Amino acid sequence: MAKETLSPNDCRDMLIAVANKIIESEPILTDADRALGDGDHGIGMERGMNAVKEKLEGTDFETADKPFMAMGMAMMSSMGGASGAVFGTLFRTGGKAVGGVDTFGPEQLAAFFTSGTEGVQTRGGAKPGDKTMVDALVPAAEKAEEVKGSSLIDAITAVAAAAEAGKDASKAMIATMGRAKTLGERSIGHPDAGAVSVAIIVATMRDFVAS
Ligand code: ADP
Ligand code: MG
């Protein structure tokens, strides 16, 4: 049976599941960043997710915003670089928008993705079409707003599909940001590594809610 809503500690457990899945996906992320960037995205995310697990495991949370914010802060302080700042911002700014509530449902899911995506864009300056994680996040956030009247499982399922489609759409884009910029048209055909991470993160959230 899918979960109707999540308690603060369910949110913690969902984020630990995300951390484990990203660690397991390190080779996929490394390959994705090797095609376009410097190949360090998998290792950077793995380091961040180990810090996240250290922070979340065995900690009790009173409100749903706190585990997301703790995750963002752990990523910022452990990963460094551009992706530490932007991925950390996703969870810290998105988490703050969840609010000090004791149940996480579709409304909170929409608040997380909308504010988190705005935060990433403000922090990193990437726009849709620049071939970054923003290309998976913007469709995810738009879908989350559209389906916030649905059940949590239907909402997160739709959001995961939107993130996956956004990641796939990034293949056709020409990188204009970061290290991949120098590749120009040679960046076509590969998905952005950060967008691959976003798709994995949202798919793991969906699988957690479904279980
Ligand atoms: P670095 O770019 O420092 O090597 P990573 O390889 O860990 O860091 O992460 C690269 C990913 O981070 C990119 O694929 C992209 O999705 C994301 N990213 C980097 N800079 C930005 C930015 N300014 N705005 C949005 N996303 C960004
Ligand atoms: Mg890199």
Side-chain angles (χ1 to χ4, degrees):
M1 268 288 280
K3 297 173 181 66
E4 299 265 328
T5 56
L6 305 181
S7 70
N9 284 339
D10 289 336
C11 291
R12 172 200 63 200
D13 293 345
M14 174 173 74
L15 296 174
I16 291 170
V18 165
N20 284 325
K21 188 69 185 178
I22 289 284
I23 291 167
E24 187 188 311
S25 307
E26 178 275 317
I28 295 169
L29 300 175
T30 296
D31 284 352
D33 194 33
R34 203 171 271 151
L36 293 178
D38 50 3
D40 64 350
H41 186 59
I43 297 296
M45 289 295 278
E46 182 178 38
R47 186 166 59 240
M49 293 303 128
N50 279 318
V52 165
K53 285 176 70 176
E54 214 162 283
K55 194 107 169 218
L56 297 187
E57 279 172 352
T59 305
D60 262 321
F61 292 94
E62 300 282 315
T63 55
D65 52 351
K66 291 290 190 294
F68 289 94
M69 292 169 73
M71 179 159 180
M73 284 175 300
M75 293 178 85
M76 280 181 185
S77 59
S78 63
M79 290 169 63
S83 62
V86 284
F87 275 93
T89 297
L90 170 64
F91 285 94
R92 206 172 72 162
T93 305
K96 196 165 178 205
V98 165
V101 293
D102 57 14
T103 47
F104 181 96
E107 293 270 345
Q108 287 72 33
L109 184 74
F112 172 77
F113 279 107
T114 296
S115 291
T117 301
E118 281 168 13
V120 167
Q121 290 192 257
T122 303
R123 181 79 190 240
K127 297 176 303 303
D130 286 337
K131 199 173 179 106
T132 70
M133 66 192 288
V134 167
D135 294 305
L137 283 174
V138 165
E142 285 174 357
K143 184 57 77 176
E145 292 295 339
E146 201 183 302
V147 298
K148 67 183 174 190
S150 317
S151 65
L152 181 59
I153 185 61
D154 286 352
I156 188 68
T157 300
V159 173
E164 178 76 18
K167 179 263 286 178
D168 285 338
S170 78
K171 287 182 196 168
M173 296 171 186
I174 297 174
T176 56
M177 305 271 305
R179 297 189 176 90
K181 185 167 78 177
T182 55
L183 289 174
E185 292 196 356
R186 279 177 294 145
S187 64
I188 293 174
H190 302 280
D192 171 67
V196 174
S197 279
V198 169
I200 292 170
I201 290 167
V202 192
T204 309
M205 291 169 72
R206 175 202 61 208
D207 292 347
F208 181 87
V209 171
S211 69

